[in-house]
Amino acid sequence: MTERYPVADATELSEDGSRVIAEVRGQEIAVFRHDGDYYAVANYCIHQGGPLCEGALSGRMTTSEDGWDWRYDEDEKYVVCPWHGWQFDITTGRSPKDERYAVPTYDVEVDDGTVYAVR
Amino acid sequence: MLDSALQIDEAERVSGLADVDRVVDVDAQVQETPGDLLEHMDESSGAHRVISLTDLHHDMIYAGPSSYPLYEYKRTNGTEEPVATDDVGDSIGAAAVAERAGAVGVETGVVNPTLNLGLSEVNNDRFAVALATAYNDWLLAELDATPELVGNAVVAPQHPERAAEEIDRVADEDDIVGIQLPASGVMPPLGHRQYRPIYDAADAHGLPIAMKSTVGNKSFGQQYWWAQSFPEDFVYQHSFVQMRNVTSLLFEGVPERYDVDFVVQGAGLGFVPFFTYRLDDHYLELGYELPALSQLPSAYLSESFHWATQPMDQSGQSLPYFPAMVDMVGPDNVVFASDLPHAVTDTPGTLVDRLAAYLPADDLEAVLGGNAERLYEL
């Protein structure tokens, strides 16, 4: 059965790109605000156990159809693990390079000014 | 403990080499001499003139000087004669290779050159192209009389358009089953876009590309020049050269763009597992710099890359490291290679000895012949 756990006051996540890290039943979970929505991700990198969600948020490099023209997509929804740089999309928990590589994500609810992680 | 954990039931094993249907050697080497090549060059050509001026000393043609005299190493080929002036003086033609290969249980061999493994280090592009063509003509003549052997045609990476024309020229020959793109000393490394005509041609003709490393040349950059002995050079070069080229091929997207099989030769299997994991790790970490790939590097390796077994790099003890490597690389991606007629030869019997207790019969048959049969359509 899922329960919801308070992790932050909504005022702490008032801007896109902001985050809080809270402990929920012995596990650290980060809640990010991105493009007006909230996303919760386990603060644990599946690579070697690093504190994934303490890393920077980044966009991604893309190329044109012909593989040549190089651009930076500023949609900064990828969290970069501070240990070895593995990246995961905070909205899905999946690696942008191979979706079989994924970290746990959780639903988020906001109720009366409090942000809850659901697990 | 590892030994017993990896062993398979006796019922799944082959009992010996005689049980194996067909042994295919993806790296049976002929030894061509400058004189052999000269005979297949137009006498009025510039390349013919240049070779004539060298007095047929191969190290004036390919690469030199060596890190240190190789004479004792060359003597391990069996001669007691001084080799200082003429260490590749004798041809080892297809008939001699076939005889030696047959004697150790090889039914079919795919032939590679010896001197022309150094082709990538020839500075003059016209000369390099001429050497490749002369070798291929010599090889075709050699293979005519030896039904047990087929061959890789050599091409000069110095001139990719001419290399592609050479592939077009020889691709329909029954005895040519693949292309040899000499791996050592090739600059820039083989993933660079300048080589696309070569991959286009190999793809169009359905020919696998073998990349064999060599040693005793200036293959591996600056550090090579400080090798104070031949062994100091020999130990590390092969695997480093292969890692450099395969990383380049993968990260520049060659297997994404082309349907070409690659056969990595001369470096064995030992480095392949950690190399594979490292490629994947860095793709997941820094993949934004590698836009040409649509899947993990290991997926391309699994689809398109084959690793030749020689040298097995085993201790004298029968420890199960080699079978563990075969298992980690994947038995479908491992192909037997002897490197005959050189002194570091691995025989099919050695492979059976080391693998039979650990690898199911089907997988062992695949490594010893089935994979190469499929790859080269033998």
Side-chain angles (χ1 to χ4, degrees):
Chain A
M1 204 180 107
T2 57
E3 287 186 41
R4 66 183 201 178
Y5 300 87
V7 292
D9 190 292
T11 58
E12 296 174 70
L13 293 163
S14 57
E15 290 180 18
D16 281 346
S18 58
R19 78 184 80 174
V20 294
I21 296 176
E23 191 171 308
V24 173
R25 283 168 42 194
Q27 183 185 15
E28 286 191 351
I29 288 176
V31 178
F32 295 90
R33 179 170 160 143
H34 174 75
D35 201 16
D37 287 322
Y38 301 98
Y39 299 94
V41 179
N43 185 26
Y44 182 86
C45 184
I46 54 161
H47 178 216
Q48 291 187 21
L52 172 67
C53 296
E54 294 174 16
L57 285 168
S58 173
R60 63 185 298 206
M61 293 288 194
T62 63
T63 49
S64 54
E65 280 285 303
D66 66 2
W68 182 250
D69 195 22
W70 209 15
R71 302 210 173 266
Y72 182 66
D73 176 352
E74 291 182 346
D75 186 13
E76 297 193 328
K77 62 175 182 173
Y78 302 97
V79 63
V80 183
C81 182
W83 278 13
H84 303 95
W86 282 29
Q87 298 167 31
F88 297 89
D89 182 338
I90 57 173
T91 69
T92 63
R94 296 186 182 280
S95 164
K97 287 301 180 188
D98 190 318
E99 64 175 21
R100 290 172 298 177
Y101 288 82
V103 293
T105 58
Y106 308 93
D107 289 337
V108 177
E109 293 175 4
V110 182
D111 192 356
D112 197 21
T114 300
V115 180
Y116 297 89
V118 180
R119 66 171 295 206
Chain B
M1 193 174 80
L2 183 62
D3 196 16
S4 54
L6 292 176
Q7 288 200 11
I8 56 172
D9 288 345
E10 292 207 13
E12 294 182 72
R13 302 178 187 178
V14 299
S15 59
L17 186 58
D19 268 4
V20 176
D21 271 349
R22 184 186 190 184
V23 175
V24 180
D25 177 2
V26 300
D27 184 17
Q29 251 184 305
V30 289
Q31 181 165 290
E32 72 279 24
T33 64
D36 295 330
L37 301 177
L38 206 57
E39 286 176 17
H40 289 272
M41 287 179 169
D42 180 346
E43 282 186 29
S44 65
S45 72
H48 190 283
R49 169 71 175 163
V50 171
I51 292 190
S52 303
L53 291 173
T54 68
D55 199 23
L56 306 186
H57 283 214
H58 73 89
D59 56 0
M60 294 177 73
I61 298 168
Y62 288 90
S66 297
S67 59
Y68 181 77
L70 311 184
Y71 309 144
E72 281 299 329
Y73 172 68
K74 292 296 181 187
R75 283 161 59 100
T76 59
N77 284 341
T79 175
E80 287 299 316
E81 300 300 313
V83 290
T85 56
D86 200 11
D87 60 355
V88 191
D90 297 323
S91 294
I92 301 176
V97 170
E99 188 182 335
R100 294 191 203 187
V104 295
V106 171
E107 187 175 325
T108 308
V110 182
V111 167
N112 278 321
T114 295
L115 288 182
N116 278 290
L117 294 180
L119 184 65
S120 297
E121 298 183 332
V122 173
N123 285 343
N124 185 294
D125 297 355
R126 289 185 179 85
F127 194 35
V129 168
L131 288 168
T133 299
Y135 169 78
N136 293 334
D137 286 342
W138 175 79
L139 176 68
L140 284 165
E142 286 288 315
L143 292 176
D144 271 348
T146 45
E148 309 92 326
L149 300 179
V150 287
N152 287 315
V154 169
V155 296
Q158 291 91 333
H159 197 318
E161 290 78 14
R162 295 281 179 181
E165 287 173 17
E166 182 68 3
I167 294 172
D168 291 341
R169 185 178 78 92
V170 297
D172 290 338
E173 297 281 351
D174 289 342
D175 282 332
I176 297 299
V177 296
I179 302 302
Q180 175 60 246
L181 202 49
S184 290
V186 59
M187 287 187 281
L190 290 170
H192 194 275
R193 63 182 176 280
Q194 76 179 38
Y195 302 115
R196 286 180 183 173
I198 296 175
Y199 304 126
D200 273 326
D203 193 346
H205 293 290
L207 292 173
I209 292 178
M211 301 180 297
K212 185 164 182 183
S213 52
T214 186
V215 75
N217 307 110
K218 55 183 188 283
S219 323
F220 198 66
Q222 297 268 349
Q223 287 183 316
Y224 152 78
W225 295 101
W226 274 261
Q228 301 206 37
S229 64
F230 182 63
E232 187 175 321
D233 187 17
F234 197 47
V235 163
Y236 76 90
Q237 269 213 17
H238 291 271
S239 53
F240 274 78
V241 162
Q242 297 296 9
M243 283 191 277
R244 183 68 193 93
N245 281 315
V246 175
T247 302
S248 169
L249 285 167
L250 287 169
F251 285 174
E252 291 302 310
V254 171
E256 173 76 27
R257 183 179 285 262
Y258 299 99
D259 183 15
V260 174
D261 285 302
F262 290 90
V263 187
V264 183
Q265 300 176 329
L269 306 181
F271 70 99
V272 182
F274 95 83
F275 175 60
T276 303
Y277 301 138
R278 192 165 172 83
L279 287 164
D280 278 1
D281 187 1
H282 284 65
Y283 177 67
L284 291 168
E285 177 183 345
L286 299 166
Y288 62 88
E289 292 188 1
L290 308 169
L293 282 66
S294 65
Q295 58 183 1
L296 289 172
S298 59
Y300 297 106
L301 292 182
S302 175
E303 290 166 3
S304 311
F305 283 73
H306 306 267
W307 309 91
T309 52
Q310 191 281 331
M312 290 170 67
D313 290 329
Q314 291 295 285
S315 76
Q317 296 169 293
S318 193
L319 295 169
Y321 302 131
F322 188 72
M325 291 294 172
V326 173
D327 196 45
M328 291 165 87
V329 175
D332 288 343
N333 293 78
V334 176
V335 284
F336 167 67
S338 75
D339 198 34
L340 277 166
H342 294 292
V344 283
T345 297
D346 296 326
T347 69
T350 308
L351 243 81
V352 170
D353 285 347
R354 294 303 174 103
L355 292 176
Y358 307 96
L359 212 60
D362 287 351
D363 287 342
L364 187 53
E365 297 255 10
V367 168
L368 278 165
N371 294 336
E373 273 184 333
R374 190 178 67 245
L375 197 56
Y376 289 109
E377 297 177 11
L378 298 173

